[in-house]
Amino acid sequence: MSLTTDEVKKIAHLARLGIDEQDVESYARDLSGILELMARMNELNTDGIEPMAHPMDQVQRLRDDVVTERDNREKFQTIAPQVEAGLYLVPKVIE
Amino acid sequence: MEWETVIGLEIHTQLATKSKIFSGAPTAYGAAPNTQACAVDLGLPGVLPVLNEEAVHKAVIFGMAIEAEIAPYSVFARKNYFYPDLPKGYQISQMELPIVGKGHLEIEVDGVSKRIGITRAHLEEDAGKSLHEDFHGLTGIDLNRAGTPLLEIVSEPDMRSAKEAVAYMKQLHELVRYLDICDGNMQEGSFRCDANVSVRPKGQNEFGTRAEIKNINSFKFVEKAINYEIERQIELIENGGKVVQETRLYDSVKDETRSMRSKEEANDYRYFPDPDLLPVFISEDYKAVIKAQLPELPQAKKHRFKDQYALDEENAAILTYSCQLADYFETALKESGCEAKLCANWITGELSAALNKAGLEIMDSPVSSERLAGLLARIRDKTISGKIAKQVFEEMWQSTATADEIIAAKGLKQITDTGAIELIIDKIIAGNPGQVEQYRSGKDKVFAFFVGQVMKEMQGKANPGEVNKMLKAKLKR
Amino acid sequence: MHNKTIIQLAQGLRSGEFSSVELTQAFLKRIKRHQKLNTYITISEDSALRNAKAADVRLANGNPELLTGIPIAQKDIFCTEGVKTTCGSKMLDNFIAPYNATVVENFNQAGAVLLGKLNMDEFAMGSSNETSYYGPVKNPWDMNTVPGGSSGGSASAVAARLAVAATGTDTGGSIRQPAALCGITGLKPTYGRVSRYGMIAYASSLDQGGPMTRSVEDAAIMLQTMAGFDEKDSTSVDLPVPDYSAGLNNSIAGLKIGLPKEFFGDGLNSDVAAALETAVNEYRKLGAEIREIAMPNLNLAIPAYYVIAPAECSANLSRFDGVRYGYRCENPADLTDLYTRSRGEGFGKEVKRRILMGTYALSAGYYDAYYIKAQKIRRLISEDFKNALAQVDVVMGPVSPTTAFGIGEKIGNPIEMYLSDIYTIAINLAGVPAISIPAGFVKDKPVGLQIIGNYFAEDRLLNIAHRYQQVTDWHLQPPKGFE
């Protein structure tokens, strides 16, 4: 199984990840190699095995419905690239 | 060709919790931008979600109310997409194992009831808001809403007209407020609807291609948006075109739906179980406790009101539209000891009109159910007439006085002293010989003239029944 | 001073032999002298001295804890309020964390002095510390070799005595492998033992923080402060924390050690194998019983890991979008441009490779073939550990197939690099604890021995490892030039 450069570009777009045109080829090569490595999983029949999402066989703990957080906007926005009137600014969103 | 419409609704209800679904930030509406977005809501590096017990509780209440299967283990998944109002680049939602499974809801359209299937209801976090006012050509992002708990309720494609869709939506709206799991405020976005609409030739089994209409936030717009969409699709097909599966936005100003190109591309959400959260376990005991605490549901209450109080369909429907209104009715009825019909008419009539005029909800009514009961009791024991009662009610609306206090202060007590009434009647008969002649010669209509004169003379305080009886006797032909 | 253990330093602080300020200054001086190791991304000199002063007051006024006044360093993956937290990435080069990780908070409560933030592979993705935006870290045993990764800065700094002890994180071997390559002690606790809150996520179901120290005795003290239930982390486990130092000297006579034959196959360098055999013999002398065991699914750990970890990371790293914090590209033309360029310019090549891999594995049509398949294999591997640990008390094996390799030697070949994690990855998939301790040298480069225990049996692991350090002195030897 190998990935084409077009597929790499498609995935990169899905992940909103800019990659240089001259690197696409090498990504395709690396990823194809990794896919080959992954293909080794197929050596093993796993029919009927329950997928394991988590190392701990536990259930979710629930939090009481109480407000514990105070307004920290100023602190949080000092590290923001662009803010105005308390809002985070981004290029125009077109719907 | 005859066409059939197929509609399924996805309704997002904000669960009325104090804090967010995965953080301890407040959920109150209308705060200054980003003042209610904590580290977890902002998706700062390293933060982790912890699930709010109350969100789970409310989801289970809903599930029990629609007689759905509640999943013993439900799983949160990440829905991946990039959007500025989605801070983590994924929304924590549920995919394969939602907390609420198949259930149903009864609706009524034109007196015919129909069962609408509910496919599932799952917990998820709300996104923030994009503000499109101009910030030098940029968009502002407010993440206060990010992380507000949502229960997304997905119906089966069981509705066949916009009218049915609206009935379903209203029924659901009523239900979530009854259950006290959502405030139902549509202006503030607490109850939002997406509609999946398709058409097919009548008799065909397969569904047509559907379009999803987003952003319809009132009952009126749901009806209009769906009707517009039905016509658009039929026209398209009849002109040889094809409906494409897409997301469309309803523009209430232009009353049309239009394609949302921005959301069209690459809808590959790459769902997978969120490794930061473990499966949510709901025990049989937990369900049993909730079941025991479930309030009487709207449909059941309506039927009981019809049976127990002999109310007609219309009054029963109005009074059970909200739990608060139904409670108001039952309290007023019990306290006043009057006839159910009188009580119902007063609430759906005078009181509702006054509330509407003032733009108030029943829970904010200046006249409490106890005070209204005091007024109804005076109608029942004939201390005042219905007409005087309206006058008393107006006084009550403006003040905090009881009906009795107003009746006493204004001297509105009905005159039941027959001697006093007789004097007046004699005076009127003596003063209007012409009319007496007409009545005695068979003109029944003139009787009303005498009643009016007597009541006028007595400033409305005479008991109309008594006046009628005595007048009839005096005018005897 | 810099060769003393935590207990010796704590005694010195209490006896007035030296103050925390003096101790801190001594370490700051060493850090500056050895900057060519490139272990620190941020040296927090001012706040370190301030905290040392406060520690001295606390030491004088009573109720100090064991770590009060002890200079330690944090891997730059833990958020430290007011201190730059980069995760080894250009993406967070300007990120001053606005809050503390629970682990950092725990050390602050204990009165430990934070010297600074340690270099690491970018977003903990790497096995050589060469993927860091801040340049490769060097191994003090041989400046031309890598310290391992991703906690390479931590391992190198502790080995070179540039901090008394450090924290690390381990997703697929990131504590144990650099510990082995730098000749120090590194413990990856049971998944859920140490809070992940404030630890920037790479692969959430695998990540676990742990101590990196010169001795097992110090590791026990560090873990005592790091471990514990945290209500801010849903995956944190609410179990009491035992006294990790209490049982260190317990006898290990009769201990049953399992050696999986899959761990001693062709891939293992024969000199490393010989060193490990000597180490295992040492245990035999201590009264342990050695037996060979089979763990048939271990060979699939690498492919399963390289599906699961990238899948989780592809979502975990979506939050770095140039909107609320971190790197933002210049003059974005539109929203898509903002995202693709901020992320394209802010992330390095290995991070991008894994995001692409994970995105692919989760995308429509491939989910079952990759992600679900990998999770099924994860179950089988976890069963292998359960079965093994039902027969024996601990499993022992290598940490790394070779000693430290040369800088630049493997970075061009990602798959070869991935394969070097062959002995560590399965442990994360299962979630069990494991420790790496120095077990000799091959051509003057350290070799690590890995000891794997049952869930929440960190106390037992520390005991077993400590007994070995009582009869060997590998862990006491400093690299040349760093004595």
Side-chain angles (χ1 to χ4, degrees):
Chain A
M1 168 117 213
S2 67
L3 275 181
T4 64
T5 51
D6 277 350
E7 282 170 308
V8 169
K9 285 180 188 168
K10 209 183 102 199
I11 306 162
H13 178 68
L14 208 51
R16 299 294 185 274
L17 205 53
I19 52 179
D20 291 337
E21 191 59 43
Q22 74 261 26
D23 289 340
V24 175
E25 195 88 39
S26 80
Y27 277 115
R29 202 170 47 240
D30 291 348
L31 296 182
S32 300
I34 299 168
L35 283 176
E36 234 167 80
L37 186 69
M38 289 177 181
R40 279 179 20 203
M41 295 194 297
N42 298 326
E43 293 165 12
L44 194 66
N45 184 332
T46 52
D47 291 351
I49 306 289
E50 183 70 18
M52 176 171 155
H54 231 276
M56 292 293 117
D57 192 17
Q58 289 197 318
V59 296
Q60 179 62 33
R61 183 164 35 80
L62 302 175
R63 180 177 63 77
D64 287 343
D65 182 26
V66 284
V67 173
T68 54
E69 301 299 316
R70 273 169 293 145
D71 171 24
N72 259 322
R73 183 173 84 183
E74 206 170 314
K75 187 159 125 189
F76 292 147
Q77 293 196 339
T78 53
I79 52 169
Q82 200 179 2
V83 285
E84 192 175 309
L87 298 161
Y88 295 97
L89 296 189
V90 297
K92 197 140 200 87
V93 174
I94 307 146
E95 281 205 325
Chain B
M1 185 183 298
E2 213 183 324
W3 295 92
E4 183 175 50
T5 308
V6 174
I7 304 161
L9 298 185
E10 287 168 22
I11 291 179
H12 291 84
T13 54
Q14 279 184 356
L15 297 176
T17 56
K18 294 186 200 75
S19 64
K20 294 192 176 168
I21 185 167
F22 297 120
S23 82
T27 53
Y29 180 84
N34 291 309
T35 55
Q36 294 189 159
C38 72
V40 173
D41 307 326
L42 293 174
L44 290 184
V47 297
L48 296 169
V50 184
L51 183 59
N52 185 340
E53 198 279 327
E54 192 55 29
V56 173
H57 188 83
K58 287 182 154 60
V60 175
I61 289 177
F62 176 78
M64 304 295 285
I66 59 160
E67 295 174 338
E69 304 149 19
I70 307 294
Y73 291 94
S74 64
V75 170
F76 282 98
R78 293 182 180 179
K79 179 182 183 182
N80 296 285
Y81 65 95
F82 285 88
Y83 209 66
D85 64 14
L86 187 72
K88 299 185 295 300
Y90 59 84
Q91 180 192 32
I92 306 178
S93 180
Q94 298 190 302
M95 181 61 181
E96 279 180 29
L97 292 167
I99 187 159
V100 176
K102 271 189 189 311
H104 57 86
L105 201 64
E106 300 288 330
I107 61 163
E108 244 176 63
V109 175
D110 302 329
V112 180
S113 69
K114 180 171 176 178
R115 173 175 281 205
I116 305 297
I118 290 176
T119 317
R120 58 185 280 162
H122 64 257
L123 282 167
E124 61 183 25
E125 55 180 347
D126 208 343
K129 279 180 185 166
S130 304
L131 302 169
H132 302 288
E133 296 111 73
D134 204 23
F135 293 99
H136 339 287
L138 301 172
T139 292
I141 306 296
D142 175 10
L143 296 171
N144 279 347
R145 199 179 67 178
T148 300
L150 291 178
L151 187 67
E152 180 175 337
I153 304 160
V154 182
S155 85
E156 293 286 317
D158 284 352
M159 288 152 278
R160 294 291 172 269
S161 67
K163 221 170 164 182
E164 282 185 8
V166 171
Y168 166 80
M169 196 178 163
K170 280 190 170 159
Q171 191 65 49
L172 202 60
H173 186 248
E174 192 174 312
L175 179 64
V176 296
R177 286 178 312 137
Y178 255 74
L179 299 171
D180 202 21
I181 61 173
C182 169
D183 69 17
N185 191 322
M186 293 167 84
Q187 273 96 46
E188 291 176 4
S190 305
F191 190 87
R192 317 195 288 264
C193 178
D194 298 340
N196 287 305
V197 179
S198 65
V199 296
R200 62 180 170 192
K202 200 150 197 155
Q204 180 183 303
N205 270 331
E206 310 85 71
F207 293 130
T209 307
R210 66 189 158 88
E212 185 182 18
I213 318 170
K214 291 235 177 233
N215 195 30
I216 23 186
N217 296 330
S218 81
F219 297 123
K220 194 174 88 186
F221 292 158
V222 165
E223 185 156 12
K224 286 182 147 192
I226 292 174
N227 280 332
Y228 174 89
E229 184 59 22
I230 294 168
E231 273 181 42
R232 185 189 73 88
Q233 291 186 11
I234 292 174
E235 205 175 294
L236 190 67
I237 300 169
E238 285 182 344
N239 289 327
K242 249 186 173 172
V243 176
V244 288
Q245 188 166 339
E246 62 176 353
T247 303
R248 299 179 70 82
L249 194 70
Y250 178 65
D251 183 333
S252 59
V253 180
K254 292 182 186 156
D255 186 24
E256 62 176 31
T257 66
R258 62 186 145 81
S259 185
M260 285 171 82
R261 271 181 209 92
S262 61
K263 289 223 170 179
E264 236 175 279
E265 52 164 331
N267 253 355
D268 188 343
Y269 291 125
R270 290 159 282 136
Y271 281 99
F272 76 105
D274 190 331
D276 287 333
L277 292 158
L278 300 167
V280 181
F281 174 61
I282 305 294
S283 69
E284 288 300 317
D285 289 352
Y286 188 84
K287 287 197 296 189
V289 169
I290 287 178
K291 191 162 192 181
Q293 291 169 345
L294 272 190
E296 186 183 19
L297 301 178
Q299 289 284 347
K301 203 182 273 273
K302 193 176 92 179
H303 287 133
R304 179 169 67 80
F305 274 27
K306 282 164 79 173
D307 294 346
Q308 187 178 339
Y309 304 124
L311 296 178
D312 60 17
E313 169 71 26
E314 198 191 348
N315 267 346
I318 295 172
L319 289 174
T320 55
Y321 183 63
S322 87
C323 210
Q324 286 85 356
L325 193 62
D327 287 349
Y328 189 103
F329 166 76
E330 292 203 285
T331 308
L333 183 64
K334 197 172 133 224
E335 298 281 317
S336 68
C338 73
E339 228 185 287
K341 191 162 186 286
L342 176 72
C343 184
N345 286 342
W346 264 85
I347 293 171
T348 59
E350 267 346 90
L351 179 70
S352 291
L355 288 171
N356 274 345
K357 205 172 146 196
L360 293 173
E361 293 292 326
I362 186 69
M363 43 279 196
D364 307 315
S365 170
V367 178
S368 69
S369 53
E370 287 81 6
R371 284 174 72 217
L372 186 73
L375 178 66
L376 295 173
R378 294 296 82 83
I379 302 173
R380 176 181 63 94
D381 67 15
K382 302 200 163 101
T383 307
I384 54 172
S385 66
K387 199 170 165 200
I388 292 290
K390 286 180 187 176
Q391 200 183 322
V392 176
F393 179 79
E394 268 172 44
E395 294 283 339
M396 289 171 78
W397 187 265
Q398 305 294 341
S399 71
T400 57
T402 64
D404 285 340
E405 284 163 359
I406 293 165
I407 291 165
K410 302 239 159 180
L412 297 172
K413 195 170 173 348
Q414 227 163 218
I415 294 164
T416 45
D417 173 0
T418 48
I421 298 173
E422 197 172 357
L423 277 175
I424 304 283
I425 288 176
D426 288 346
K427 193 177 132 195
I428 301 287
I429 288 176
N432 296 284
Q435 278 82 355
V436 173
E437 194 53 42
Q438 284 176 11
Y439 179 76
R440 288 196 173 136
S441 65
K443 281 202 170 173
D444 285 354
K445 274 187 186 163
V446 187
F447 187 75
F449 162 79
F450 287 103
V451 175
Q453 288 297 309
V454 174
M455 294 304 275
K456 191 177 163 194
E457 193 76 13
M458 300 199 73
Q459 294 168 312
K461 285 183 281 182
N463 180 326
E466 201 62 36
V467 171
N468 276 4
K469 205 171 86 192
M470 290 174 73
L471 258 176
K472 279 215 169 109
K474 291 265 176 193
L475 289 167
K476 217 172 193 166
R477 293 167 280 219
Chain C
M1 271 192 291
H2 55 263
N3 280 315
K4 287 183 159 57
T5 66
I6 292 175
I7 293 201
Q8 288 165 346
L9 290 170
Q11 280 163 351
L13 288 169
R14 279 159 184 75
S15 68
E17 193 185 324
F18 44 79
S19 67
S20 174
V21 169
E22 286 164 339
L23 185 61
T24 303
Q25 276 167 337
F27 273 99
L28 288 168
K29 217 163 128 190
R30 275 186 76 80
I31 293 168
K32 284 179 197 160
R33 185 161 13 119
H34 297 294
Q35 276 193 353
K36 60 179 186 302
L37 284 175
N38 199 24
T39 50
Y40 280 79
I41 291 173
T42 303
I43 305 165
S44 40
E45 182 162 1
D46 293 348
S47 66
L49 290 170
R50 228 177 14 251
N51 292 336
K53 223 173 266 174
D56 282 332
V57 172
R58 186 167 165 187
L59 282 156
N61 293 348
N63 88 55
E65 292 180 36
L66 204 45
L67 284 174
T68 306
I70 306 289
I72 58 143
Q74 296 280 359
K75 183 177 183 180
D76 209 13
I77 199 168
F78 289 99
C79 285
T80 42
E81 185 167 357
V83 178
K84 192 164 88 160
T85 301
T86 69
C87 225
S89 181
K90 179 183 179 185
M91 183 58 88
L92 291 177
D93 185 45
N94 60 2
F95 181 68
I96 312 287
Y99 76 105
N100 277 329
T102 298
V103 162
V104 171
E105 200 60 55
N106 290 349
F107 280 110
N108 287 351
Q109 293 295 321
V113 173
L114 176 69
L115 291 167
K117 307 294 292 290
L118 297 165
N119 206 340
M120 55 182 284
D121 277 304
E122 186 180 10
F123 284 100
M125 299 176 201
S127 310
S128 67
N129 223 297
E130 293 166 288
T131 71
S132 170
Y133 173 63
Y134 300 92
V137 172
K138 297 180 174 82
N139 190 322
W141 293 95
D142 176 349
M143 300 292 272
N144 296 316
T145 63
V146 302
S150 66
S151 313
S154 305
S156 176
V158 170
R161 278 81 172 146
L162 306 187
V164 176
T167 57
T169 62
D170 191 316
T171 306
S174 283
I175 286 177
R176 292 159 288 154
Q177 184 251 19
L181 268 43
C182 289
I184 65 161
T185 301
L187 171 67
K188 182 208 90 77
T190 309
Y191 182 87
R193 181 75 289 186
V194 171
S195 168
R196 293 190 297 115
Y197 189 79
M199 196 177 102
I200 299 174
Y202 158 25
S204 313
S205 78
L206 302 160
D207 295 343
Q208 185 61 202
M212 300 181 75
T213 56
R214 277 179 281 120
S215 67
V216 171
E217 187 191 304
D218 284 358
I221 294 167
M222 288 287 282
L223 181 62
Q224 200 73 49
T225 296
M226 295 178 81
F229 172 65
D230 181 8
E231 58 181 25
K232 291 181 188 151
D233 175 358
S234 296
T235 61
S236 166
V237 178
D238 194 359
L239 274 181
V241 178
D243 182 340
Y244 291 120
S245 301
L248 286 180
N249 293 311
N250 290 352
S251 163
I252 57 166
L255 179 77
K256 277 182 254 161
I257 297 172
L259 302 179
K261 56 177 190 286
E262 293 80 4
F263 269 5
F264 295 90
D266 288 347
L268 185 62
N269 172 289
S270 57
D271 292 337
V272 172
L276 294 176
E277 206 181 309
T278 313
V280 169
N281 263 326
E282 208 64 56
Y283 273 104
R284 199 173 270 129
K285 283 189 234 161
L286 286 165
E289 189 188 303
I290 318 290
R291 60 171 84 155
E292 189 180 271
I293 55 168
M295 299 181 74
N297 298 301
L298 286 186
N299 64 324
L300 290 178
I302 287 187
Y305 175 91
Y306 279 99
V307 174
I308 292 168
E312 292 183 12
C313 105
S314 73
N316 280 335
L317 269 59
S318 291
R319 67 190 62 200
F320 303 101
D321 59 4
V323 176
R324 297 165 316 287
Y325 49 78
Y327 180 78
R328 177 183 224 165
C329 67
E330 300 267 349
N331 306 316
D334 56 31
L335 200 56
T336 305
D337 191 43
L338 168 75
Y339 289 147
T340 49
R341 274 208 292 129
S342 297
R343 291 165 61 75
E345 294 163 17
F347 290 137
K349 198 158 185 186
E350 182 59 27
V351 170
K352 287 192 209 173
R353 205 178 275 134
R354 295 197 196 188
I355 291 176
L356 291 173
M357 204 58 249
T359 304
Y360 179 76
L362 290 174
S363 63
Y366 300 106
Y367 180 77
D368 286 349
Y370 292 108
Y371 192 73
I372 294 296
K373 181 82 183 177
Q375 284 202 331
K376 288 179 168 188
I377 287 169
R378 183 175 190 177
R379 167 91 50 200
L380 293 172
I381 287 168
S382 147
E383 298 292 330
D384 274 3
F385 278 99
K386 280 183 187 139
N387 293 338
L389 292 165
Q391 300 164 45
V392 295
D393 298 310
V394 288
V395 172
M396 286 191 188
V399 179
S400 167
T402 62
T403 54
F405 46 91
I407 292 174
E409 193 182 317
K410 294 188 182 178
I411 194 69
N413 187 339
I415 292 172
E416 201 187 324
M417 187 78 89
Y418 297 169
L419 291 173
S420 68
D421 296 335
I422 186 150
Y423 305 122
T424 48
I425 268 177
I427 285 81
N428 298 78
L429 291 171
V432 291
I435 192 168
S436 167
I437 51 171
F441 294 87
V442 168
K443 298 187 184 108
D444 297 329
K445 287 188 213 157
V447 172
L449 167 71
Q450 181 167 222
I451 314 172
I452 304 152
N454 222 326
Y455 295 96
F456 299 101
E458 286 82 2
D459 48 353
R460 187 79 171 126
L461 277 187
L462 288 163
N463 165 224
I464 294 162
H466 179 66
R467 294 295 298 198
Y468 178 81
Q469 293 194 338
Q470 285 180 312
V471 296
T472 57
D473 69 350
W474 310 119
H475 65 290
L476 298 175
Q477 301 183 22
K480 259 196 204 86
F482 299 90
E483 295 86 356

